[in-house]
Amino acid sequence: QVQLVESGGGLVQPGGSLRLSCAASGVIFRVYTMGWYRQAPGKQRKLVATITTGGNTDYSDFVKGRFTISRDNAKNTVYLQMNSLSSEDTAVYYCNANGGFRQTTYWGQGTQVTVSS
């Protein structure tokens, strides 16, 4: 019944920007910590950023100063604003939700981000 649907991925030139969105349904959104992860071909999935129910954010070192995670509880949506993109940011980006009274984790199907000239 829980569904996370990512959108906003695509092809962008180096130095460009994209904003990813993740719309959640079937959950009480405000009680979940939300996160973004990414996985490049042949690499393990890595944490990009998280935002707690209280709005506290945390970022991996490789995106600090370039990416911003935010949430809109009224819209059941979490965002990832990505600026100053480079080829090293090319990956499938996955939305994650963790929390609720059963401490359950959910994943979206992912959205492809390709940074290339």
Side-chain angles (χ1 to χ4, degrees), residues 100-115:
F101 76 99
R102 295 187 184 275
Q103 290 293 297
T104 308
T105 298
Y106 303 99
W107 292 93
Q109 294 186 96
T111 184
Q112 177 71 48
V113 172
T114 302
V115 185

Side-chain angles (χ1 to χ4, degrees), residues 41-72:
K43 304 294 184 180
Q44 291 187 314
R45 189 172 299 184
K46 295 181 178 180
L47 174 67
V48 175
T50 60
I51 183 166
T52 69
T53 58
N56 295 319
T57 59
D58 195 18
Y59 300 91
S60 294
D61 288 341
F62 54 85
V63 303
K64 282 185 177 179
R66 300 189 298 122
F67 291 11
T68 302
I69 188 171
S70 61
R71 66 192 295 162
D72 187 337

